[in-house]
Coordinates of all heavy atoms in Angstrom, one line a residue:
M1 N 84.8 76.0 80.7 CA 85.3 77.4 81.0 C 86.8 77.3 81.4 O 87.2 76.3 82.1 CB 84.5 77.9 82.2 CG 85.0 79.3 82.7 SD 84.3 79.8 84.3 CE 82.8 80.6 83.8
I2 N 87.5 78.3 80.9 CA 88.9 78.4 81.3 C 89.2 79.8 81.8 O 88.4 80.7 81.5 CB 89.8 78.1 80.1 CG1 89.6 79.0 79.0 CG2 89.8 76.6 79.7 CD1 90.7 78.9 77.9
I3 N 90.2 79.9 82.6 CA 90.7 81.2 83.0 C 92.0 81.4 82.2 O 92.9 80.6 82.3 CB 91.0 81.3 84.5 CG1 89.7 81.1 85.3 CG2 91.6 82.7 84.8 CD1 89.9 80.9 86.8
K4 N 92.1 82.5 81.5 CA 93.3 82.9 80.8 C 94.2 83.8 81.7 O 93.7 84.8 82.2 CB 93.0 83.6 79.5 CG 92.2 82.7 78.5 CD 91.8 83.6 77.3 CE 91.1 82.7 76.3 NZ 92.1 81.9 75.4
V5 N 95.4 83.4 81.8 CA 96.4 84.2 82.6 C 97.3 85.0 81.7 O 98.0 84.4 80.8 CB 97.2 83.2 83.5 CG1 98.2 84.0 84.3 CG2 96.3 82.4 84.4
D6 N 97.3 86.3 81.9 CA 98.2 87.2 81.3 C 99.4 87.4 82.3 O 99.3 88.3 83.1 CB 97.6 88.5 80.8 CG 98.5 89.4 80.0 OD1 99.8 89.1 80.1 OD2 98.1 90.3 79.3
R7 N 100.4 86.6 82.2 CA 101.5 86.6 83.1 C 102.2 88.0 83.2 O 102.8 88.4 84.1 CB 102.4 85.5 82.8 CG 103.6 85.3 83.8 CD 103.1 85.0 85.2 NE 104.3 84.9 86.1 CZ 105.1 85.9 86.5 NH1 104.8 87.1 86.2 NH2 106.1 85.7 87.2
E8 N 102.2 88.6 82.0 CA 102.9 90.0 81.9 C 102.2 91.0 82.8 O 102.9 91.9 83.3 CB 102.9 90.4 80.5 CG 103.6 89.5 79.5 CD 105.1 89.5 79.7 OE1 105.7 90.6 79.9 OE2 105.7 88.4 79.8
K9 N 100.9 90.8 83.0 CA 100.2 91.8 83.8 C 100.2 91.5 85.3 O 99.9 92.4 86.1 CB 98.7 92.0 83.3 CG 98.6 92.6 82.0 CD 97.1 92.7 81.7 CE 96.9 93.4 80.3 NZ 95.5 93.4 79.9
C10 N 100.5 90.3 85.6 CA 100.4 89.9 87.0 C 101.5 90.6 87.9 O 102.6 90.7 87.5 CB 100.6 88.4 87.2 SG 100.7 87.8 88.9
A11 N 101.0 91.2 89.0 CA 101.9 91.9 89.9 C 102.1 91.3 91.2 O 102.6 91.9 92.1 CB 101.5 93.4 90.0
G12 N 101.5 90.1 91.4 CA 101.7 89.3 92.6 C 100.8 89.7 93.7 O 101.1 89.5 94.9
H13 N 99.6 90.2 93.4 CA 98.7 90.6 94.5 C 98.1 89.4 95.2 O 97.7 89.5 96.4 CB 97.5 91.5 93.9 CG 98.0 92.8 93.4 ND1 98.4 93.8 94.3 CD2 98.1 93.3 92.2 CE1 98.8 94.9 93.5 NE2 98.6 94.6 92.2
A14 N 98.0 88.3 94.5 CA 97.5 87.0 95.1 C 96.1 87.0 95.6 O 95.7 86.2 96.3 CB 98.4 86.6 96.2
R15 N 95.3 88.0 95.1 CA 93.9 88.0 95.5 C 93.2 86.8 94.8 O 92.2 86.3 95.4 CB 93.2 89.3 95.1 CG 93.8 90.5 95.8 CD 93.0 91.7 95.5 NE 93.7 92.9 96.0 CZ 93.3 94.1 95.8 NH1 92.2 94.4 95.1 NH2 94.0 95.2 96.3
C16 N 93.6 86.4 93.7 CA 93.0 85.3 93.0 C 93.2 84.0 93.8 O 92.2 83.3 94.1 CB 93.6 85.1 91.6 SG 95.4 85.0 91.6
W17 N 94.4 83.8 94.3 CA 94.7 82.6 95.0 C 94.0 82.6 96.4 O 93.6 81.6 96.9 CB 96.2 82.6 95.2 CG 96.7 81.5 96.1 CD1 96.9 80.2 95.7 CD2 97.0 81.6 97.4 NE1 97.4 79.4 96.8 CE2 97.4 80.3 97.9 CE3 97.0 82.6 98.4 CZ2 97.8 80.0 99.2 CZ3 97.4 82.3 99.7 CH2 97.8 81.0 100.1
A18 N 93.9 83.9 97.0 CA 93.2 84.0 98.3 C 91.8 83.5 98.2 O 91.3 82.9 99.1 CB 93.4 85.4 98.9
L19 N 91.1 83.8 97.1 CA 89.8 83.5 96.9 C 89.6 82.0 96.5 O 88.6 81.4 96.9 CB 89.1 84.4 95.9 CG 88.6 85.8 96.4 CD1 88.3 86.6 95.1 CD2 87.4 85.6 97.3
A20 N 90.5 81.5 95.7 CA 90.3 80.2 95.0 C 91.7 79.5 95.0 O 92.3 79.3 94.0 CB 89.7 80.4 93.7
P21 N 92.2 79.1 96.2 CA 93.5 78.4 96.2 C 93.5 77.1 95.5 O 94.6 76.7 95.1 CB 93.7 78.3 97.7 CG 92.4 78.3 98.4 CD 91.6 79.2 97.5
D22 N 92.4 76.5 95.2 CA 92.4 75.3 94.4 C 92.5 75.5 92.9 O 92.8 74.6 92.2 CB 91.1 74.4 94.7 CG 91.1 73.9 96.1 OD1 92.2 73.8 96.8 OD2 90.1 73.6 96.7
L23 N 92.2 76.7 92.5 CA 92.2 77.0 91.1 C 93.6 77.6 90.6 O 94.0 77.4 89.5 CB 91.1 78.1 90.7 CG 89.7 77.5 90.7 CD1 88.8 78.7 90.4 CD2 89.5 76.4 89.7
F24 N 94.2 78.4 91.5 CA 95.4 79.1 91.1 C 96.6 78.6 91.9 O 96.5 78.2 93.0 CB 95.2 80.6 91.4 CG 94.1 81.3 90.7 CD1 92.8 81.3 91.3 CD2 94.3 81.8 89.4 CE1 91.8 81.9 90.6 CE2 93.3 82.4 88.7 CZ 92.0 82.4 89.3
E25 N 97.7 78.7 91.1 CA 99.0 78.3 91.7 C 99.9 79.5 91.6 O 100.0 80.2 90.5 CB 99.7 77.1 91.0 CG 99.2 75.8 91.5 CD 100.1 74.7 91.0 OE1 101.2 74.4 91.5 OE2 99.7 74.1 89.9
L26 N 100.7 79.8 92.7 CA 101.6 80.9 92.6 C 103.0 80.3 92.6 O 103.3 79.3 93.2 CB 101.4 81.8 93.8 CG 100.0 82.3 94.1 CD1 100.0 83.3 95.3 CD2 99.5 83.1 92.9
D27 N 103.9 81.1 92.0 CA 105.3 80.7 92.1 C 105.9 81.2 93.4 O 105.2 81.8 94.3 CB 106.1 81.2 90.8 CG 106.2 82.8 90.8 OD1 106.0 83.4 91.9 OD2 106.5 83.3 89.7
D28 N 107.2 81.0 93.6 CA 107.8 81.3 94.9 C 107.8 82.7 95.2 O 108.0 83.2 96.4 CB 109.3 80.8 94.9 CG 109.4 79.3 94.9 OD1 108.4 78.6 95.2 OD2 110.5 78.8 94.5
E29 N 107.6 83.6 94.2 CA 107.6 85.0 94.5 C 106.2 85.6 94.5 O 105.9 86.8 94.6 CB 108.4 85.8 93.4 CG 109.9 85.4 93.4 CD 110.7 86.0 92.3 OE1 110.1 86.3 91.3 OE2 111.9 86.1 92.5
G30 N 105.2 84.7 94.4 CA 103.8 85.1 94.6 C 103.1 85.5 93.3 O 102.0 86.1 93.3
Y31 N 103.7 85.2 92.2 CA 103.1 85.5 90.9 C 102.3 84.2 90.4 O 102.8 83.1 90.6 CB 104.1 85.9 89.8 CG 104.8 87.2 90.1 CD1 105.9 87.3 91.0 CD2 104.4 88.4 89.5 CE1 106.5 88.5 91.2 CE2 104.9 89.6 89.7 CZ 106.0 89.7 90.6 OH 106.6 90.8 90.9
V32 N 101.2 84.5 89.8 CA 100.4 83.4 89.3 C 101.2 82.6 88.2 O 101.9 83.3 87.4 CB 99.0 83.9 88.8 CG1 99.1 84.7 87.5 CG2 98.0 82.8 88.7
L33 N 101.0 81.3 88.1 CA 101.7 80.6 87.1 C 101.0 80.8 85.7 O 99.8 80.9 85.7 CB 101.7 79.1 87.4 CG 102.5 78.7 88.7 CD1 102.5 77.1 88.8 CD2 103.9 79.2 88.7
P34 N 101.8 80.9 84.7 CA 101.2 81.2 83.4 C 100.5 80.0 82.8 O 100.6 78.8 83.3 CB 102.4 81.5 82.5 CG 103.6 80.8 83.2 CD 103.3 80.8 84.7
G35 N 99.6 80.2 81.8 CA 98.9 79.2 81.1 C 97.4 79.2 81.5 O 97.0 79.8 82.4
D36 N 96.6 78.6 80.6 CA 95.2 78.5 80.9 C 94.9 77.6 82.0 O 95.5 76.5 82.2 CB 94.5 78.0 79.6 CG 94.6 79.0 78.4 OD1 95.0 80.2 78.7 OD2 94.3 78.6 77.3
I37 N 93.9 78.0 82.8 CA 93.4 77.1 83.9 C 92.0 76.6 83.6 O 91.1 77.3 83.3 CB 93.3 78.0 85.2 CG1 94.7 78.6 85.5 CG2 92.7 77.2 86.3 CD1 94.7 79.7 86.6
T38 N 91.9 75.3 83.6 CA 90.6 74.7 83.4 C 89.8 74.7 84.6 O 90.2 74.3 85.7 CB 90.8 73.2 82.9 OG1 91.6 73.2 81.7 CG2 89.4 72.6 82.6
V39 N 88.6 75.3 84.6 CA 87.7 75.4 85.7 C 86.9 74.1 85.9 O 86.1 73.8 84.9 CB 86.8 76.7 85.6 CG1 85.9 76.8 86.8 CG2 87.7 77.9 85.5
P40 N 86.9 73.5 87.0 CA 86.1 72.3 87.2 C 84.6 72.6 87.2 O 84.3 73.7 87.6 CB 86.6 71.7 88.5 CG 87.9 72.3 88.8 CD 87.8 73.7 88.1
P41 N 83.7 71.7 86.8 CA 82.3 72.0 86.9 C 81.9 72.3 88.2 O 82.4 71.8 89.2 CB 81.7 70.6 86.4 CG 82.8 69.9 85.7 CD 84.1 70.4 86.2
G42 N 81.0 73.4 88.3 CA 80.5 73.8 89.6 C 81.3 74.9 90.2 O 80.9 75.5 91.2
Q43 N 82.5 75.2 89.6 CA 83.3 76.3 90.3 C 83.3 77.5 89.4 O 84.2 78.4 89.5 CB 84.8 75.8 90.5 CG 84.8 74.6 91.5 CD 86.2 74.4 92.1 OE1 87.0 75.3 92.2 NE2 86.5 73.2 92.4
E44 N 82.4 77.7 88.5 CA 82.4 78.8 87.6 C 82.2 80.1 88.3 O 82.8 81.1 87.9 CB 81.3 78.6 86.5 CG 81.5 77.5 85.5 CD 81.0 76.1 86.0 OE1 80.6 76.0 87.2 OE2 81.1 75.1 85.2
A45 N 81.3 80.1 89.3 CA 81.1 81.4 90.0 C 82.3 81.8 90.7 O 82.6 83.0 90.8 CB 79.8 81.2 90.9
L46 N 82.9 80.9 91.4 CA 84.1 81.2 92.1 C 85.2 81.7 91.2 O 85.9 82.6 91.5 CB 84.6 79.9 92.9 CG 85.9 80.0 93.6 CD1 85.7 81.0 94.8 CD2 86.3 78.7 94.2
A47 N 85.3 81.0 90.0 CA 86.3 81.4 89.1 C 86.0 82.9 88.6 O 87.0 83.7 88.4 CB 86.3 80.5 87.9
G48 N 84.8 83.2 88.4 CA 84.4 84.6 88.0 C 84.8 85.6 89.1 O 85.3 86.7 88.7
R49 N 84.5 85.3 90.3 CA 84.9 86.2 91.4 C 86.3 86.4 91.5 O 86.8 87.5 91.7 CB 84.3 85.7 92.7 CG 82.9 86.0 93.0 CD 82.5 85.9 94.4 NE 82.8 84.7 95.1 CZ 82.1 83.5 95.0 NH1 81.0 83.5 94.3 NH2 82.4 82.4 95.6
A50 N 87.1 85.3 91.5 CA 88.5 85.4 91.6 C 89.1 86.2 90.4 O 90.1 86.9 90.6 CB 89.2 84.0 91.7
T51 N 88.6 86.0 89.2 CA 89.1 86.7 88.0 C 88.8 88.2 88.2 O 89.7 89.0 87.9 CB 88.4 86.1 86.8 OG1 88.7 84.8 86.6 CG2 88.7 86.9 85.5
R52 N 87.7 88.5 88.6 CA 87.3 90.0 88.8 C 88.1 90.6 89.9 O 88.2 91.8 90.0 CB 85.8 90.1 89.0 CG 85.0 89.8 87.8 CD 83.5 90.3 88.0 NE 82.9 89.6 89.1 CZ 82.3 88.4 88.9 NH1 82.2 87.8 87.8 NH2 81.7 87.8 90.0
A53 N 88.6 89.8 90.8 CA 89.3 90.3 92.0 C 90.7 90.9 91.7 O 91.4 91.6 92.5 CB 89.4 89.3 93.1
C54 N 91.2 90.5 90.5 CA 92.6 90.9 90.2 C 92.7 92.4 89.8 O 92.1 92.8 88.8 CB 93.1 90.1 89.0 SG 94.8 90.6 88.5
P55 N 93.4 93.2 90.6 CA 93.4 94.6 90.3 C 94.2 94.9 89.0 O 94.1 96.1 88.5 CB 94.1 95.2 91.5 CG 94.9 94.1 92.1 CD 94.1 92.9 91.8
E56 N 95.0 94.0 88.5 CA 95.8 94.3 87.3 C 95.1 93.8 86.0 O 95.6 93.9 84.9 CB 97.2 93.6 87.4 CG 97.9 93.9 88.7 CD 98.4 95.3 88.8 OE1 98.5 96.0 87.7 OE2 98.6 95.8 89.9
R57 N 93.9 93.2 86.2 CA 93.2 92.6 85.1 C 94.1 91.6 84.3 O 94.1 91.6 83.1 CB 92.7 93.7 84.1 CG 91.7 94.6 84.8 CD 91.2 95.7 83.8 NE 90.4 96.7 84.5 CZ 89.1 96.7 84.5 NH1 88.4 95.8 83.9 NH2 88.5 97.7 85.2
A58 N 94.8 90.8 85.1 CA 95.7 89.8 84.5 C 94.9 88.5 84.1 O 95.4 87.7 83.4 CB 96.8 89.5 85.4
L59 N 93.6 88.4 84.6 CA 92.9 87.2 84.4 C 91.7 87.5 83.6 O 91.0 88.5 83.7 CB 92.5 86.6 85.7 CG 93.6 86.4 86.8 CD1 93.0 86.1 88.1 CD2 94.6 85.4 86.3
S60 N 91.2 86.6 82.7 CA 90.0 86.7 82.0 C 89.4 85.3 81.8 O 90.1 84.3 81.8 CB 90.3 87.4 80.6 OG 91.2 86.6 79.8
I61 N 88.1 85.3 81.6 CA 87.4 84.1 81.4 C 87.3 83.8 79.9 O 87.1 84.7 79.0 CB 85.9 84.2 81.9 CG1 85.9 84.4 83.4 CG2 85.1 83.0 81.5 CD1 86.4 83.2 84.2
G62 N 87.5 82.5 79.6 CA 87.3 82.1 78.2 C 86.6 80.7 78.1 O 86.3 80.1 79.1
E63 N 86.3 80.3 76.9 CA 85.7 79.0 76.7 C 86.8 78.0 76.3 O 87.6 78.4 75.5 CB 84.6 79.1 75.7 CG 83.4 80.0 76.1 CD 82.8 79.6 77.4 OE1 82.6 78.3 77.6 OE2 82.4 80.4 78.2
D64 N 86.7 76.8 76.8 CA 87.6 75.8 76.3 C 87.1 75.0 75.2 O 86.0 75.2 74.7 CB 88.0 74.9 77.5 CG 86.9 74.2 78.2 OD1 85.7 74.5 77.8 OD2 87.1 73.6 79.2
Ligands
F3S101 FE1 98.5 88.2 89.9 FE2 96.2 89.3 89.9 FE3 96.4 87.0 91.0 S1 98.1 90.4 90.1 S2 98.6 86.9 91.7 S3 96.7 87.4 88.9 S4 95.3 88.7 91.8

């Protein structure tokens, strides 16, 4: 499983990071770093929650 990041939609709410700080990295201004995030085994449910928490719908789940 991967999380796809649409950096254009990110508005810096940081809800993803607040829920899953080990999965997401933010830049100095609080925007999520671009690029696909590989979800470690066992963290799929957390990844789903964090993805759904983004009010800008900047995150989506994909298969790697
Ligand atoms: Fe950006 Fe959404 Fe996270 S706006 S910082 S991807 S909660």
Side-chain angles (χ1 to χ4, degrees):
M1 176 192 271
I2 59 170
I3 299 169
K4 294 173 178 283
V5 176
D6 185 340
R7 181 62 180 76
E8 298 293 314
K9 291 183 178 175
C10 176
H13 294 291
R15 293 186 192 176
C16 54
W17 176 83
L19 278 169
D22 291 340
L23 288 178
F24 297 92
E25 271 191 87
L26 304 183
D27 66 16
D28 290 343
E29 296 176 336
Y31 292 83
V32 72
L33 296 187
D36 294 345
I37 298 166
T38 301
V39 178
Q43 295 197 35
E44 292 86 355
L46 178 63
R49 280 202 302 280
T51 295
R52 290 191 298 274
C54 177
E56 307 294 335
R57 297 178 189 261
L59 308 171
S60 59
I61 296 292
E63 297 301 322
D64 55 2

